[in-house]
Amino acid sequence: MKLTGAQILIECLKEHNVDTIFGFPGGAVLNIYDALYKAKDDIRHILTSHEQGASHAADGYARATGKVGVCLATSGPGATNLVTGIATAYMDSVPMVAITGQVTTALLGKDSFQEVDITGITMPVTKHNYIVKDVEKLADILREAFYIAKEGRPGPVLVDICKDVTAAITEYEKKTPKSVPDRPIGVTQEEIDRAADVINSSKCPFILAGGGVTIAGANEELLKLSEKCKIPVANTLMGLGSFPGTNELFTGLTGMHGTRTSNLAVSESDLFIAIGARFSDRVISNVKKFAPDAKIMHIDIDPAEIGKNIVVHYPLSGNIKKILKQLISKIDKRKSSEWADKIISWKKEFPLKYQNDGVLRPHYILERIYELTKGDAIITTEVGQNQIWAAQIYKYTNQRQFISSGGLGTMGFGLGACIGAQIGRPEKKVINVAGDGSFRMNLTELATAVEYKVPIIVALLNNHVLGMVRQWQELFYDSRFSSTTIDRGTNFVALAEAFGAIGINVTKPEEVDDALKRALESKDRPVVINFEIDRDDKVFPIVPPGAPISELIEE
């Protein structure tokens, strides 16, 4: 049948079972929005307050569901407003298709109104991108975009479509999407045997699990490997939830804000096994002093990551799930382990501590959120102290339960991501742990949550400063607090109510439970809880820049 380019776009979205798209209209996408209007019974369009909110919502939707998130924006500033969200998804390997409108083909390259070379701009932060100038190529490009976004190491793909292409008519034939194949194991039996021998002979093995474990769906295999061999496990920020946070072999985060147990274990291990992690600077800190007595084994689907940041002695590039299954069948079962017992004793000796002095502390707030949600909520975060407190204190036991901007560290990410996650997982309670600095950046998305009756909770840890930057200024810049105080008198409760949300103010520990219970009971309105915390509360532990991770500041 003959369809317009805009109609073909809708049909291709339906081919890929897209049920939700986040976007903001404009001139270059009018034809697409007209087609969306006619397809509203099949595809739900969420009108965000800003294009960046759309990209973060698509990202949160993808992380929470494992599906491809889809966002849509017009040409020029609409497209450029997506860029931060696209880069966020790229750094954290999130499958996303970003669709942008473009000026007509006749106007390309002429500095036309709202023209920008969005494919050139996004080339470094997309897995692939396209500009579509021919309607006959549109369907195949869209199908390929969805395939690329999901295949192998996931990532965002941008499809820029000229306006005349969305109006042009061509023949459309429905096709079944090309299935993403289950990647082969990617390593030889000899490499598996060698890795198993190394694990069996190690006395102090240690595992760092990253976001790649969740992407690979290898959570069960990770748990089996750890428990069979009594190997302690730490997480990167992106890996939280890939190993049960309640397991006695779990040691918490590793690196700059890692627990003392994790960082000591790394420093004393004789075999360091990284799985689906990329050895970022926040994990390894001083590369010359990282795991000084350990051989490094790195298991990852992306061969470009192996050896990029650290010397790897046992590289295993391939399908993480299949590699772990093979290793589990080859390794010896350990009934006991002095090393594991030592790690467990360290956990008791070096717990995360905070003052319990009758003052409202973020640690207490996160503990109460964990208890009242029975550890079953999806937690999104902004970026800064709020992010690390949420990572340290809430115990994540399931994959896709912790959603945060890890690689790019995008302030303003959490609210949009929270909306996307809640829409994707309506059966779950989704809570955005925020700082007031990050929250200000995209707080207009509260209007989106109100309009669509998305019952998210914003736990706003309000210290009236840019907390993490201020903490660095105090610890490493002799307390020269340059431009980090943002005590602007904003009444966040009144602001929430102005948007149509529920606003609650909390200043004392004894008010926390009632506020959270009220928020958790809301079924069709977002809730903002303004927790007034002390500006001098800090994230500990912290490793000073350039120091080995064993040299932590704890208070």
Side-chain angles (χ1 to χ4, degrees), residues 227-521:
E227 292 190 331
K228 185 174 184 180
C229 237
K230 299 287 188 273
I231 306 177
V233 178
N235 275 143
T236 66
L237 196 68
M238 299 309 303
L240 287 168
S242 64
F243 189 84
T246 52
N247 191 291
E248 67 174 2
L249 290 171
F250 180 66
T251 65
L253 293 177
T254 293
M256 177 174 283
H257 297 296
T259 63
R260 176 168 285 278
T261 298
S262 290
N263 288 5
L264 282 176
V266 172
S267 302
E268 294 194 16
S269 65
D270 62 3
L271 177 63
F272 184 86
I273 307 168
I275 308 174
R278 56 189 179 84
F279 287 103
S280 80
D281 57 299
R282 292 299 173 101
V283 167
I284 60 179
S285 192
N286 187 325
V287 67
K288 294 180 180 178
K289 297 182 179 180
F290 182 81
D293 300 320
K295 295 293 185 181
I296 306 294
M297 182 181 295
H298 193 180
I299 307 171
D300 201 279
I301 196 168
D302 188 351
E305 289 295 346
I306 296 179
K308 184 175 80 174
N309 295 330
I310 198 166
V311 174
V312 174
H313 305 94
Y314 306 104
L316 295 169
S317 178
N319 186 313
I320 291 174
K321 188 180 183 77
K322 291 182 177 179
I323 290 171
L324 292 184
K325 281 185 175 180
Q326 286 288 313
L327 284 175
I328 291 165
S329 69
K330 296 285 184 179
I331 59 174
D332 300 330
K333 184 174 182 178
R334 299 184 186 183
K335 293 183 179 179
S336 62
S337 166
E338 290 183 12
W339 168 244
D341 292 342
K342 185 177 185 179
I343 297 293
I344 292 167
S345 70
W346 279 348
K347 286 177 64 175
K348 295 175 182 176
E349 186 178 355
F350 306 119
L352 287 170
K353 294 177 289 187
Y354 69 92
Q355 289 177 282
N356 187 8
D357 52 4
V359 176
L360 184 62
R361 303 287 181 193
H363 313 76
Y364 176 75
I365 295 165
L366 266 300
E367 284 181 352
R368 296 313 301 153
I369 291 173
Y370 175 75
E371 292 295 332
L372 291 173
T373 60
K374 298 180 173 60
D376 194 43
I378 293 174
I379 303 295
T380 70
T381 80
E382 301 293 346
V383 168
Q385 290 177 318
N386 62 87
Q387 177 186 37
I388 305 304
W389 284 322
Q392 290 176 330
I393 298 164
Y394 202 98
K395 296 179 180 67
Y396 302 94
T397 55
N398 297 303
Q399 59 182 351
R400 307 191 181 283
Q401 191 181 5
F402 179 76
I403 296 173
S404 189
S405 172
L408 198 63
T410 306
M411 294 178 70
F413 168 79
L415 181 56
C418 191
I419 292 169
Q422 185 70 83
I423 288 171
R425 299 289 302 278
E427 79 284 3
K428 292 286 187 181
K429 180 55 71 173
V430 186
I431 301 173
N432 182 37
V433 178
D436 51 310
S438 286
F439 183 64
R440 291 171 192 270
M441 291 191 170
N442 284 322
L443 59 80
T444 52
E445 295 307 331
L446 272 178
T448 307
V450 169
E451 178 180 356
Y452 295 99
K453 298 182 179 181
V454 185
I456 58 171
I457 298 172
V458 177
L460 182 59
L461 307 180
N462 186 2
N463 55 12
H464 303 274
V465 294
L466 298 176
M468 187 64 87
V469 186
R470 176 187 168 89
Q471 175 171 331
W472 275 60
Q473 287 174 336
E474 180 174 337
L475 294 176
F476 311 123
Y477 291 85
D478 296 326
S479 296
R480 293 187 293 275
F481 299 125
S482 177
S483 299
T484 47
T485 299
I486 49 172
D487 194 1
R488 293 171 171 171
T490 305
N491 184 331
F492 286 107
V493 172
L495 186 68
E497 292 173 347
F499 276 108
I502 297 170
I504 304 172
N505 199 54
V506 173
T507 61
K508 302 173 183 176
E510 54 266 30
E511 299 170 345
V512 170
D513 277 21
D514 285 345
L516 287 171
K517 288 175 183 177
R518 181 184 170 193
L520 289 166
E521 288 170 358

Side-chain angles (χ1 to χ4, degrees), residues 94-107:
V94 178
M96 178 195 293
V97 171
I99 300 164
T100 54
Q102 184 55 275
V103 300
T104 61
T105 52
L107 293 176

